[in-house]
Amino acid sequence: DVKVTQSSRYLVKRTGEKVFLECVQDMDHENMFWYRQDPGLGLRLIYFSYDVKMKEKGDIPEGYSVSREKKERFSLILESASTNQTSMYLCASTPLRETYNEQFFGPGTRLTVL
Amino acid sequence: AQTVTQSQPEMSVQEAETVTLSCTYDTSESDYYLFWYKQPPSRQMILVIRQEAYKQQNATENRFSVNFQKAAKSFSLKISDSQLGDAAMYFCPSPTQGGSEKLVFGKGTKLTVNP
């Protein structure tokens, strides 16, 4: 069974802290994604990785960075957390196929920055 | 920028009735897939149904079916015999131009099912 896991379901951090959100997939997928989900705004792409050590900015990369040292793991980093980064964060993955791009999602991390 | 429009932020339906959620998208790709995802309160995104753009026949998956109008770039979801467990946010992402790996999501439709 396809599985994407995220390190925490809920996380509370202080302003200015460095925050790591981890995502692991066990499907040997090449592509991995980090989204942010806010009420009324849907899902917005933060970063995308198409291979180990490869990354591409999404629509809202400001304030975030990513790391992909191993194929199965994609980390989202908030260098200095701010209150406007309080949100739901979703990780997803998809295999490298020409047109079929169903994304498999993790359970989400609800991050609160105080 | 490519967009997906889900014009109904919220919908409600009586249990056992039928409801249709609308979605329009904007892509210049010729061969692509479209999806409907469901996100219940548990937050786990679940694939409900998929449609290949080259297939003229509308996809059906048990109580879920789509009305796919390629020329109009319209992709609506019909839920028949609605159940309480259908209550969720629904999203219909579409492919982005020039890169089939990525999807662009709309704002979603929140479906409430009344007993």
Side-chain angles (χ1 to χ4, degrees), chain B residues 19-21 23 34-37 48-53 55-69 74-80 91-92:
Chain B
V19 65
T20 298
L21 309 184
C23 175
L34 293 169
F35 308 96
W36 276 97
Y37 282 91
V48 173
I49 196 165
R50 63 176 73 91
Q51 171 80 43
E52 185 176 7
K55 289 189 176 177
Q56 293 188 347
Q57 186 173 6
N58 289 320
T60 298
E61 195 74 40
N62 300 316
R63 298 181 294 106
F64 298 87
S65 61
V66 299
N67 183 359
F68 174 49
Q69 305 288 329
S74 169
F75 184 56
S76 61
L77 175 71
K78 186 170 85 171
I79 306 174
S80 304
F91 295 95
C92 62

PDB file of all heavy atoms in Angstrom, chain B residues 19-21 23 34-37 48-53 55-69 74-80 91-92:
ATOM      1  N   VAL B  19     -25.724  15.399  -5.675  1.00  0.00           N
ATOM      2  CA  VAL B  19     -25.138  16.741  -5.714  1.00  0.00           C
ATOM      3  C   VAL B  19     -24.061  16.771  -6.788  1.00  0.00           C
ATOM      4  O   VAL B  19     -23.402  15.758  -7.047  1.00  0.00           O
ATOM      5  CB  VAL B  19     -24.558  17.123  -4.338  1.00  0.00           C
ATOM      6  CG1 VAL B  19     -23.387  16.230  -3.943  1.00  0.00           C
ATOM      7  CG2 VAL B  19     -24.153  18.580  -4.279  1.00  0.00           C
ATOM      8  N   THR B  20     -23.916  17.938  -7.413  1.00  0.00           N
ATOM      9  CA  THR B  20     -22.883  18.105  -8.440  1.00  0.00           C
ATOM     10  C   THR B  20     -21.976  19.263  -8.066  1.00  0.00           C
ATOM     11  O   THR B  20     -22.454  20.375  -7.794  1.00  0.00           O
ATOM     12  CB  THR B  20     -23.518  18.372  -9.821  1.00  0.00           C
ATOM     13  OG1 THR B  20     -24.312  17.234 -10.187  1.00  0.00           O
ATOM     14  CG2 THR B  20     -22.441  18.575 -10.882  1.00  0.00           C
ATOM     15  N   LEU B  21     -20.684  19.000  -8.065  1.00  0.00           N
ATOM     16  CA  LEU B  21     -19.681  20.015  -7.775  1.00  0.00           C
ATOM     17  C   LEU B  21     -19.022  20.428  -9.089  1.00  0.00           C
ATOM     18  O   LEU B  21     -18.627  19.577  -9.885  1.00  0.00           O
ATOM     19  CB  LEU B  21     -18.614  19.461  -6.817  1.00  0.00           C
ATOM     20  CG  LEU B  21     -19.102  18.784  -5.547  1.00  0.00           C
ATOM     21  CD1 LEU B  21     -17.929  18.376  -4.669  1.00  0.00           C
ATOM     22  CD2 LEU B  21     -20.069  19.654  -4.780  1.00  0.00           C
ATOM     23  N   CYS B  23     -16.242  22.470 -11.645  1.00  0.00           N
ATOM     24  CA  CYS B  23     -14.816  22.773 -11.731  1.00  0.00           C
ATOM     25  C   CYS B  23     -14.489  23.176 -13.163  1.00  0.00           C
ATOM     26  O   CYS B  23     -14.885  22.478 -14.109  1.00  0.00           O
ATOM     27  CB  CYS B  23     -14.006  21.543 -11.338  1.00  0.00           C
ATOM     28  SG  CYS B  23     -12.207  21.723 -11.548  1.00  0.00           S
ATOM     29  N   LEU B  34      -7.190  14.359 -15.223  1.00  0.00           N
ATOM     30  CA  LEU B  34      -7.851  15.203 -14.235  1.00  0.00           C
ATOM     31  C   LEU B  34      -8.277  14.337 -13.068  1.00  0.00           C
ATOM     32  O   LEU B  34      -8.559  13.148 -13.240  1.00  0.00           O
ATOM     33  CB  LEU B  34      -9.072  15.902 -14.839  1.00  0.00           C
ATOM     34  CG  LEU B  34      -8.764  16.951 -15.918  1.00  0.00           C
ATOM     35  CD1 LEU B  34     -10.048  17.364 -16.610  1.00  0.00           C
ATOM     36  CD2 LEU B  34      -8.067  18.153 -15.315  1.00  0.00           C
ATOM     37  N   PHE B  35      -8.327  14.954 -11.899  1.00  0.00           N
ATOM     38  CA  PHE B  35      -8.645  14.216 -10.683  1.00  0.00           C
ATOM     39  C   PHE B  35      -9.637  14.994  -9.831  1.00  0.00           C
ATOM     40  O   PHE B  35      -9.685  16.217  -9.867  1.00  0.00           O
ATOM     41  CB  PHE B  35      -7.370  14.013  -9.839  1.00  0.00           C
ATOM     42  CG  PHE B  35      -6.205  13.405 -10.585  1.00  0.00           C
ATOM     43  CD1 PHE B  35      -5.232  14.219 -11.133  1.00  0.00           C
ATOM     44  CD2 PHE B  35      -6.096  12.039 -10.724  1.00  0.00           C
ATOM     45  CE1 PHE B  35      -4.154  13.679 -11.820  1.00  0.00           C
ATOM     46  CE2 PHE B  35      -5.017  11.480 -11.406  1.00  0.00           C
ATOM     47  CZ  PHE B  35      -4.044  12.310 -11.959  1.00  0.00           C
ATOM     48  N   TRP B  36     -10.390  14.262  -9.047  1.00  0.00           N
ATOM     49  CA  TRP B  36     -11.099  14.826  -7.920  1.00  0.00           C
ATOM     50  C   TRP B  36     -10.536  14.170  -6.665  1.00  0.00           C
ATOM     51  O   TRP B  36     -10.480  12.941  -6.572  1.00  0.00           O
ATOM     52  CB  TRP B  36     -12.602  14.567  -8.008  1.00  0.00           C
ATOM     53  CG  TRP B  36     -13.330  15.567  -8.848  1.00  0.00           C
ATOM     54  CD1 TRP B  36     -13.693  15.451 -10.155  1.00  0.00           C
ATOM     55  CD2 TRP B  36     -13.811  16.851  -8.416  1.00  0.00           C
ATOM     56  NE1 TRP B  36     -14.348  16.579 -10.576  1.00  0.00           N
ATOM     57  CE2 TRP B  36     -14.441  17.458  -9.528  1.00  0.00           C
ATOM     58  CE3 TRP B  36     -13.769  17.556  -7.206  1.00  0.00           C
ATOM     59  CZ2 TRP B  36     -15.022  18.720  -9.466  1.00  0.00           C
ATOM     60  CZ3 TRP B  36     -14.349  18.809  -7.143  1.00  0.00           C
ATOM     61  CH2 TRP B  36     -14.967  19.385  -8.261  1.00  0.00           C
ATOM     62  N   TYR B  37     -10.138  15.033  -5.714  1.00  0.00           N
ATOM     63  CA  TYR B  37      -9.673  14.570  -4.421  1.00  0.00           C
ATOM     64  C   TYR B  37     -10.680  15.004  -3.358  1.00  0.00           C
ATOM     65  O   TYR B  37     -11.298  16.065  -3.446  1.00  0.00           O
ATOM     66  CB  TYR B  37      -8.326  15.200  -4.059  1.00  0.00           C
ATOM     67  CG  TYR B  37      -7.119  14.600  -4.746  1.00  0.00           C
ATOM     68  CD1 TYR B  37      -6.672  15.112  -5.959  1.00  0.00           C
ATOM     69  CD2 TYR B  37      -6.416  13.543  -4.173  1.00  0.00           C
ATOM     70  CE1 TYR B  37      -5.538  14.587  -6.580  1.00  0.00           C
ATOM     71  CE2 TYR B  37      -5.290  13.009  -4.788  1.00  0.00           C
ATOM     72  CZ  TYR B  37      -4.864  13.542  -5.991  1.00  0.00           C
ATOM     73  OH  TYR B  37      -3.749  13.019  -6.604  1.00  0.00           O
ATOM     74  N   VAL B  48     -10.635  10.429  -5.392  1.00  0.00           N
ATOM     75  CA  VAL B  48     -12.014   9.960  -5.572  1.00  0.00           C
ATOM     76  C   VAL B  48     -12.187   9.342  -6.949  1.00  0.00           C
ATOM     77  O   VAL B  48     -12.737   8.242  -7.096  1.00  0.00           O
ATOM     78  CB  VAL B  48     -13.007  11.133  -5.406  1.00  0.00           C
ATOM     79  CG1 VAL B  48     -14.428  10.696  -5.756  1.00  0.00           C
ATOM     80  CG2 VAL B  48     -12.945  11.680  -3.984  1.00  0.00           C
ATOM     81  N   ILE B  49     -11.709  10.045  -7.970  1.00  0.00           N
ATOM     82  CA  ILE B  49     -11.928   9.598  -9.335  1.00  0.00           C
ATOM     83  C   ILE B  49     -10.921  10.282 -10.249  1.00  0.00           C
ATOM     84  O   ILE B  49     -10.447  11.376  -9.936  1.00  0.00           O
ATOM     85  CB  ILE B  49     -13.388   9.908  -9.766  1.00  0.00           C
ATOM     86  CG1 ILE B  49     -13.801   9.125 -11.020  1.00  0.00           C
ATOM     87  CG2 ILE B  49     -13.601  11.402  -9.938  1.00  0.00           C
ATOM     88  CD1 ILE B  49     -15.315   9.116 -11.243  1.00  0.00           C
ATOM     89  N   ARG B  50     -10.594   9.627 -11.371  1.00  0.00           N
ATOM     90  CA  ARG B  50      -9.661  10.196 -12.333  1.00  0.00           C
ATOM     91  C   ARG B  50     -10.259  10.089 -13.731  1.00  0.00           C
ATOM     92  O   ARG B  50     -11.048   9.198 -14.009  1.00  0.00           O
ATOM     93  CB  ARG B  50      -8.325   9.466 -12.277  1.00  0.00           C
ATOM     94  CG  ARG B  50      -8.387   8.010 -12.642  1.00  0.00           C
ATOM     95  CD  ARG B  50      -7.020   7.365 -12.662  1.00  0.00           C
ATOM     96  NE  ARG B  50      -6.474   7.162 -11.328  1.00  0.00           N
ATOM     97  CZ  ARG B  50      -6.652   6.054 -10.600  1.00  0.00           C
ATOM     98  NH1 ARG B  50      -7.368   5.059 -11.078  1.00  0.00           N
ATOM     99  NH2 ARG B  50      -6.104   5.939  -9.402  1.00  0.00           N
ATOM    100  N   GLN B  51      -9.833  11.007 -14.599  1.00  0.00           N
ATOM    101  CA  GLN B  51     -10.323  11.030 -15.980  1.00  0.00           C
ATOM    102  C   GLN B  51      -9.157  11.339 -16.908  1.00  0.00           C
ATOM    103  O   GLN B  51      -8.444  12.332 -16.690  1.00  0.00           O
ATOM    104  CB  GLN B  51     -11.403  12.112 -16.145  1.00  0.00           C
ATOM    105  CG  GLN B  51     -11.858  12.398 -17.565  1.00  0.00           C
ATOM    106  CD  GLN B  51     -12.855  11.377 -18.073  1.00  0.00           C
ATOM    107  OE1 GLN B  51     -13.774  10.975 -17.377  1.00  0.00           O
ATOM    108  NE2 GLN B  51     -12.703  10.974 -19.326  1.00  0.00           N
ATOM    109  N   GLU B  52      -8.971  10.509 -17.930  1.00  0.00           N
ATOM    110  CA  GLU B  52      -7.960  10.816 -18.926  1.00  0.00           C
ATOM    111  C   GLU B  52      -8.584  11.689 -19.996  1.00  0.00           C
ATOM    112  O   GLU B  52      -9.661  11.376 -20.499  1.00  0.00           O
ATOM    113  CB  GLU B  52      -7.403   9.541 -19.551  1.00  0.00           C
ATOM    114  CG  GLU B  52      -6.257   9.844 -20.517  1.00  0.00           C
ATOM    115  CD  GLU B  52      -5.611   8.606 -21.087  1.00  0.00           C
ATOM    116  OE1 GLU B  52      -6.128   7.499 -20.840  1.00  0.00           O
ATOM    117  OE2 GLU B  52      -4.597   8.752 -21.778  1.00  0.00           O
ATOM    118  N   ALA B  53      -7.897  12.746 -20.364  1.00  0.00           N
ATOM    119  CA  ALA B  53      -8.472  13.725 -21.285  1.00  0.00           C
ATOM    120  C   ALA B  53      -8.765  13.132 -22.653  1.00  0.00           C
ATOM    121  O   ALA B  53      -9.660  13.612 -23.358  1.00  0.00           O
ATOM    122  CB  ALA B  53      -7.544  14.927 -21.412  1.00  0.00           C
ATOM    123  N   LYS B  55      -9.961  10.219 -23.266  1.00  0.00           N
ATOM    124  CA  LYS B  55     -11.119   9.316 -23.267  1.00  0.00           C
ATOM    125  C   LYS B  55     -12.397  10.130 -23.288  1.00  0.00           C
ATOM    126  O   LYS B  55     -12.602  11.011 -22.458  1.00  0.00           O
ATOM    127  CB  LYS B  55     -11.082   8.412 -22.023  1.00  0.00           C
ATOM    128  CG  LYS B  55      -9.990   7.369 -22.076  1.00  0.00           C
ATOM    129  CD  LYS B  55     -10.129   6.367 -20.952  1.00  0.00           C
ATOM    130  CE  LYS B  55      -9.070   5.275 -21.108  1.00  0.00           C
ATOM    131  NZ  LYS B  55      -9.104   4.309 -19.998  1.00  0.00           N
ATOM    132  N   GLN B  56     -13.246   9.815 -24.239  1.00  0.00           N
ATOM    133  CA  GLN B  56     -14.507  10.545 -24.345  1.00  0.00           C
ATOM    134  C   GLN B  56     -15.503  10.095 -23.292  1.00  0.00           C
ATOM    135  O   GLN B  56     -16.355  10.862 -22.855  1.00  0.00           O
ATOM    136  CB  GLN B  56     -15.089  10.372 -25.740  1.00  0.00           C
ATOM    137  CG  GLN B  56     -14.247  11.036 -26.819  1.00  0.00           C
ATOM    138  CD  GLN B  56     -14.929  11.037 -28.165  1.00  0.00           C
ATOM    139  OE1 GLN B  56     -15.924  10.340 -28.356  1.00  0.00           O
ATOM    140  NE2 GLN B  56     -14.411  11.808 -29.092  1.00  0.00           N
ATOM    141  N   GLN B  57     -15.379   8.848 -22.886  1.00  0.00           N
ATOM    142  CA  GLN B  57     -16.330   8.334 -21.911  1.00  0.00           C
ATOM    143  C   GLN B  57     -16.033   8.913 -20.536  1.00  0.00           C
ATOM    144  O   GLN B  57     -14.883   8.918 -20.077  1.00  0.00           O
ATOM    145  CB  GLN B  57     -16.245   6.808 -21.858  1.00  0.00           C
ATOM    146  CG  GLN B  57     -17.285   6.171 -20.976  1.00  0.00           C
ATOM    147  CD  GLN B  57     -17.291   4.663 -21.080  1.00  0.00           C
ATOM    148  OE1 GLN B  57     -16.436   4.078 -21.744  1.00  0.00           O
ATOM    149  NE2 GLN B  57     -18.245   4.033 -20.431  1.00  0.00           N
ATOM    150  N   ASN B  58     -17.080   9.379 -19.886  1.00  0.00           N
ATOM    151  CA  ASN B  58     -16.928   9.929 -18.549  1.00  0.00           C
ATOM    152  C   ASN B  58     -16.636   8.827 -17.537  1.00  0.00           C
ATOM    153  O   ASN B  58     -17.259   7.762 -17.561  1.00  0.00           O
ATOM    154  CB  ASN B  58     -18.194  10.676 -18.132  1.00  0.00           C
ATOM    155  CG  ASN B  58     -18.369  11.973 -18.899  1.00  0.00           C
ATOM    156  OD1 ASN B  58     -17.410  12.696 -19.151  1.00  0.00           O
ATOM    157  ND2 ASN B  58     -19.598  12.278 -19.260  1.00  0.00           N
ATOM    158  N   ALA B  59     -15.690   9.112 -16.634  1.00  0.00           N
ATOM    159  CA  ALA B  59     -15.318   8.127 -15.628  1.00  0.00           C
ATOM    160  C   ALA B  59     -16.420   7.968 -14.579  1.00  0.00           C
ATOM    161  O   ALA B  59     -17.136   8.926 -14.244  1.00  0.00           O
ATOM    162  CB  ALA B  59     -14.015   8.550 -14.953  1.00  0.00           C
ATOM    163  N   THR B  60     -16.524   6.750 -14.089  1.00  0.00           N
ATOM    164  CA  THR B  60     -17.477   6.431 -13.026  1.00  0.00           C
ATOM    165  C   THR B  60     -16.770   5.549 -12.006  1.00  0.00           C
ATOM    166  O   THR B  60     -16.012   4.653 -12.374  1.00  0.00           O
ATOM    167  CB  THR B  60     -18.697   5.686 -13.592  1.00  0.00           C
ATOM    168  OG1 THR B  60     -19.361   6.535 -14.525  1.00  0.00           O
ATOM    169  CG2 THR B  60     -19.666   5.325 -12.491  1.00  0.00           C
ATOM    170  N   GLU B  61     -17.041   5.820 -10.747  1.00  0.00           N
ATOM    171  CA  GLU B  61     -16.469   5.028  -9.658  1.00  0.00           C
ATOM    172  C   GLU B  61     -17.545   4.902  -8.587  1.00  0.00           C
ATOM    173  O   GLU B  61     -17.719   5.778  -7.744  1.00  0.00           O
ATOM    174  CB  GLU B  61     -15.228   5.733  -9.104  1.00  0.00           C
ATOM    175  CG  GLU B  61     -14.346   4.890  -8.228  1.00  0.00           C
ATOM    176  CD  GLU B  61     -13.528   3.876  -9.000  1.00  0.00           C
ATOM    177  OE1 GLU B  61     -13.033   4.209 -10.089  1.00  0.00           O
ATOM    178  OE2 GLU B  61     -13.413   2.741  -8.514  1.00  0.00           O
ATOM    179  N   ASN B  62     -18.305   3.809  -8.669  1.00  0.00           N
ATOM    180  CA  ASN B  62     -19.404   3.576  -7.731  1.00  0.00           C
ATOM    181  C   ASN B  62     -20.394   4.740  -7.756  1.00  0.00           C
ATOM    182  O   ASN B  62     -20.991   5.005  -8.798  1.00  0.00           O
ATOM    183  CB  ASN B  62     -18.849   3.321  -6.322  1.00  0.00           C
ATOM    184  CG  ASN B  62     -17.943   2.114  -6.289  1.00  0.00           C
ATOM    185  OD1 ASN B  62     -18.251   1.079  -6.855  1.00  0.00           O
ATOM    186  ND2 ASN B  62     -16.795   2.249  -5.644  1.00  0.00           N
ATOM    187  N   ARG B  63     -20.559   5.480  -6.654  1.00  0.00           N
ATOM    188  CA  ARG B  63     -21.538   6.558  -6.610  1.00  0.00           C
ATOM    189  C   ARG B  63     -21.006   7.867  -7.197  1.00  0.00           C
ATOM    190  O   ARG B  63     -21.728   8.874  -7.254  1.00  0.00           O
ATOM    191  CB  ARG B  63     -21.950   6.801  -5.156  1.00  0.00           C
ATOM    192  CG  ARG B  63     -22.613   5.610  -4.490  1.00  0.00           C
ATOM    193  CD  ARG B  63     -23.020   5.933  -3.048  1.00  0.00           C
ATOM    194  NE  ARG B  63     -21.861   6.174  -2.190  1.00  0.00           N
ATOM    195  CZ  ARG B  63     -21.501   7.369  -1.763  1.00  0.00           C
ATOM    196  NH1 ARG B  63     -22.192   8.446  -2.085  1.00  0.00           N
ATOM    197  NH2 ARG B  63     -20.428   7.498  -0.967  1.00  0.00           N
ATOM    198  N   PHE B  64     -19.745   7.866  -7.609  1.00  0.00           N
ATOM    199  CA  PHE B  64     -19.117   9.081  -8.108  1.00  0.00           C
ATOM    200  C   PHE B  64     -18.970   9.008  -9.629  1.00  0.00           C
ATOM    201  O   PHE B  64     -18.518   7.990 -10.161  1.00  0.00           O
ATOM    202  CB  PHE B  64     -17.732   9.256  -7.477  1.00  0.00           C
ATOM    203  CG  PHE B  64     -17.763   9.405  -5.983  1.00  0.00           C
ATOM    204  CD1 PHE B  64     -17.735   8.278  -5.163  1.00  0.00           C
ATOM    205  CD2 PHE B  64     -17.848  10.646  -5.392  1.00  0.00           C
ATOM    206  CE1 PHE B  64     -17.773   8.413  -3.777  1.00  0.00           C
ATOM    207  CE2 PHE B  64     -17.873  10.788  -4.005  1.00  0.00           C
ATOM    208  CZ  PHE B  64     -17.845   9.661  -3.202  1.00  0.00           C
ATOM    209  N   SER B  65     -19.334  10.069 -10.300  1.00  0.00           N
ATOM    210  CA  SER B  65     -19.152  10.131 -11.746  1.00  0.00           C
ATOM    211  C   SER B  65     -18.780  11.560 -12.126  1.00  0.00           C
ATOM    212  O   SER B  65     -18.999  12.501 -11.355  1.00  0.00           O
ATOM    213  CB  SER B  65     -20.415   9.681 -12.485  1.00  0.00           C
ATOM    214  OG  SER B  65     -21.495  10.531 -12.160  1.00  0.00           O
ATOM    215  N   VAL B  66     -18.197  11.693 -13.306  1.00  0.00           N
ATOM    216  CA  VAL B  66     -17.807  13.019 -13.754  1.00  0.00           C
ATOM    217  C   VAL B  66     -18.517  13.349 -15.059  1.00  0.00           C
ATOM    218  O   VAL B  66     -18.941  12.471 -15.805  1.00  0.00           O
ATOM    219  CB  VAL B  66     -16.277  13.136 -13.943  1.00  0.00           C
ATOM    220  CG1 VAL B  66     -15.549  12.891 -12.626  1.00  0.00           C
ATOM    221  CG2 VAL B  66     -15.773  12.212 -15.040  1.00  0.00           C
ATOM    222  N   ASN B  67     -18.612  14.646 -15.304  1.00  0.00           N
ATOM    223  CA  ASN B  67     -19.049  15.164 -16.596  1.00  0.00           C
ATOM    224  C   ASN B  67     -17.882  15.985 -17.132  1.00  0.00           C
ATOM    225  O   ASN B  67     -17.623  17.095 -16.667  1.00  0.00           O
ATOM    226  CB  ASN B  67     -20.302  16.020 -16.445  1.00  0.00           C
ATOM    227  CG  ASN B  67     -20.813  16.505 -17.790  1.00  0.00           C
ATOM    228  OD1 ASN B  67     -20.220  16.218 -18.846  1.00  0.00           O
ATOM    229  ND2 ASN B  67     -21.899  17.232 -17.798  1.00  0.00           N
ATOM    230  N   PHE B  68     -17.160  15.391 -18.085  1.00  0.00           N
ATOM    231  CA  PHE B  68     -15.947  15.988 -18.611  1.00  0.00           C
ATOM    232  C   PHE B  68     -16.241  16.603 -19.968  1.00  0.00           C
ATOM    233  O   PHE B  68     -16.644  15.898 -20.904  1.00  0.00           O
ATOM    234  CB  PHE B  68     -14.853  14.922 -18.721  1.00  0.00           C
ATOM    235  CG  PHE B  68     -13.589  15.379 -19.383  1.00  0.00           C
ATOM    236  CD1 PHE B  68     -12.981  16.558 -19.006  1.00  0.00           C
ATOM    237  CD2 PHE B  68     -13.005  14.621 -20.391  1.00  0.00           C
ATOM    238  CE1 PHE B  68     -11.806  16.976 -19.611  1.00  0.00           C
ATOM    239  CE2 PHE B  68     -11.836  15.029 -21.002  1.00  0.00           C
ATOM    240  CZ  PHE B  68     -11.237  16.207 -20.612  1.00  0.00           C
ATOM    241  N   GLN B  69     -16.066  17.900 -20.069  1.00  0.00           N
ATOM    242  CA  GLN B  69     -16.263  18.630 -21.316  1.00  0.00           C
ATOM    243  C   GLN B  69     -14.921  19.254 -21.687  1.00  0.00           C
ATOM    244  O   GLN B  69     -14.564  20.334 -21.208  1.00  0.00           O
ATOM    245  CB  GLN B  69     -17.329  19.717 -21.144  1.00  0.00           C
ATOM    246  CG  GLN B  69     -18.659  19.229 -20.634  1.00  0.00           C
ATOM    247  CD  GLN B  69     -19.418  18.427 -21.676  1.00  0.00           C
ATOM    248  OE1 GLN B  69     -19.291  18.675 -22.879  1.00  0.00           O
ATOM    249  NE2 GLN B  69     -20.186  17.436 -21.225  1.00  0.00           N
ATOM    250  N   SER B  74     -14.196  21.870 -18.606  1.00  0.00           N
ATOM    251  CA  SER B  74     -15.086  21.727 -17.465  1.00  0.00           C
ATOM    252  C   SER B  74     -15.054  20.286 -16.980  1.00  0.00           C
ATOM    253  O   SER B  74     -15.032  19.344 -17.795  1.00  0.00           O
ATOM    254  CB  SER B  74     -16.507  22.107 -17.886  1.00  0.00           C
ATOM    255  OG  SER B  74     -17.438  21.748 -16.906  1.00  0.00           O
ATOM    256  N   PHE B  75     -15.061  20.113 -15.682  1.00  0.00           N
ATOM    257  CA  PHE B  75     -14.879  18.774 -15.101  1.00  0.00           C
ATOM    258  C   PHE B  75     -15.672  18.720 -13.797  1.00  0.00           C
ATOM    259  O   PHE B  75     -15.139  18.952 -12.720  1.00  0.00           O
ATOM    260  CB  PHE B  75     -13.382  18.552 -14.854  1.00  0.00           C
ATOM    261  CG  PHE B  75     -13.012  17.197 -14.346  1.00  0.00           C
ATOM    262  CD1 PHE B  75     -13.353  16.043 -15.021  1.00  0.00           C
ATOM    263  CD2 PHE B  75     -12.283  17.063 -13.172  1.00  0.00           C
ATOM    264  CE1 PHE B  75     -13.001  14.794 -14.550  1.00  0.00           C
ATOM    265  CE2 PHE B  75     -11.913  15.816 -12.686  1.00  0.00           C
ATOM    266  CZ  PHE B  75     -12.269  14.685 -13.376  1.00  0.00           C
ATOM    267  N   SER B  76     -16.950  18.402 -13.884  1.00  0.00           N
ATOM    268  CA  SER B  76     -17.793  18.396 -12.685  1.00  0.00           C
ATOM    269  C   SER B  76     -17.889  17.000 -12.091  1.00  0.00           C
ATOM    270  O   SER B  76     -17.741  15.994 -12.799  1.00  0.00           O
ATOM    271  CB  SER B  76     -19.175  18.947 -12.998  1.00  0.00           C
ATOM    272  OG  SER B  76     -19.809  18.141 -13.961  1.00  0.00           O
ATOM    273  N   LEU B  77     -18.138  16.949 -10.806  1.00  0.00           N
ATOM    274  CA  LEU B  77     -18.250  15.694 -10.062  1.00  0.00           C
ATOM    275  C   LEU B  77     -19.679  15.539  -9.573  1.00  0.00           C
ATOM    276  O   LEU B  77     -20.208  16.429  -8.910  1.00  0.00           O
ATOM    277  CB  LEU B  77     -17.298  15.689  -8.858  1.00  0.00           C
ATOM    278  CG  LEU B  77     -17.408  14.490  -7.925  1.00  0.00           C
ATOM    279  CD1 LEU B  77     -16.872  13.227  -8.589  1.00  0.00           C
ATOM    280  CD2 LEU B  77     -16.658  14.759  -6.611  1.00  0.00           C
ATOM    281  N   LYS B  78     -20.276  14.397  -9.889  1.00  0.00           N
ATOM    282  CA  LYS B  78     -21.615  14.094  -9.395  1.00  0.00           C
ATOM    283  C   LYS B  78     -21.511  12.994  -8.356  1.00  0.00           C
ATOM    284  O   LYS B  78     -20.902  11.943  -8.604  1.00  0.00           O
ATOM    285  CB  LYS B  78     -22.540  13.655 -10.528  1.00  0.00           C
ATOM    286  CG  LYS B  78     -23.973  13.462 -10.075  1.00  0.00           C
ATOM    287  CD  LYS B  78     -24.938  13.273 -11.246  1.00  0.00           C
ATOM    288  CE  LYS B  78     -24.993  11.833 -11.689  1.00  0.00           C
ATOM    289  NZ  LYS B  78     -26.093  11.618 -12.689  1.00  0.00           N
ATOM    290  N   ILE B  79     -22.117  13.268  -7.200  1.00  0.00           N
ATOM    291  CA  ILE B  79     -22.177  12.275  -6.127  1.00  0.00           C
ATOM    292  C   ILE B  79     -23.625  11.857  -5.983  1.00  0.00           C
ATOM    293  O   ILE B  79     -24.502  12.681  -5.685  1.00  0.00           O
ATOM    294  CB  ILE B  79     -21.648  12.846  -4.794  1.00  0.00           C
ATOM    295  CG1 ILE B  79     -20.250  13.431  -4.975  1.00  0.00           C
ATOM    296  CG2 ILE B  79     -21.648  11.755  -3.724  1.00  0.00           C
ATOM    297  CD1 ILE B  79     -19.715  14.152  -3.737  1.00  0.00           C
ATOM    298  N   SER B  80     -23.891  10.602  -6.219  1.00  0.00           N
ATOM    299  CA  SER B  80     -25.246  10.066  -6.106  1.00  0.00           C
ATOM    300  C   SER B  80     -25.420   9.384  -4.759  1.00  0.00           C
ATOM    301  O   SER B  80     -24.444   8.906  -4.164  1.00  0.00           O
ATOM    302  CB  SER B  80     -25.497   9.049  -7.224  1.00  0.00           C
ATOM    303  OG  SER B  80     -25.275   9.622  -8.489  1.00  0.00           O
ATOM    304  N   PHE B  91     -11.428  18.849  -4.053  1.00  0.00           N
ATOM    305  CA  PHE B  91     -10.522  19.597  -4.921  1.00  0.00           C
ATOM    306  C   PHE B  91     -10.406  18.915  -6.281  1.00  0.00           C
ATOM    307  O   PHE B  91     -10.398  17.681  -6.377  1.00  0.00           O
ATOM    308  CB  PHE B  91      -9.116  19.666  -4.302  1.00  0.00           C
ATOM    309  CG  PHE B  91      -9.038  20.431  -3.024  1.00  0.00           C
ATOM    310  CD1 PHE B  91      -9.115  19.775  -1.797  1.00  0.00           C
ATOM    311  CD2 PHE B  91      -8.894  21.803  -3.028  1.00  0.00           C
ATOM    312  CE1 PHE B  91      -9.034  20.481  -0.601  1.00  0.00           C
ATOM    313  CE2 PHE B  91      -8.809  22.521  -1.843  1.00  0.00           C
ATOM    314  CZ  PHE B  91      -8.886  21.856  -0.632  1.00  0.00           C
ATOM    315  N   CYS B  92     -10.267  19.739  -7.336  1.00  0.00           N
ATOM    316  CA  CYS B  92     -10.113  19.202  -8.689  1.00  0.00           C
ATOM    317  C   CYS B  92      -8.867  19.804  -9.334  1.00  0.00           C
ATOM    318  O   CYS B  92      -8.949  20.707 -10.160  1.00  0.00           O
ATOM    319  CB  CYS B  92     -11.343  19.487  -9.540  1.00  0.00           C
ATOM    320  SG  CYS B  92     -11.668  21.242  -9.763  1.00  0.00           S
TER     321      CYS B  92
END
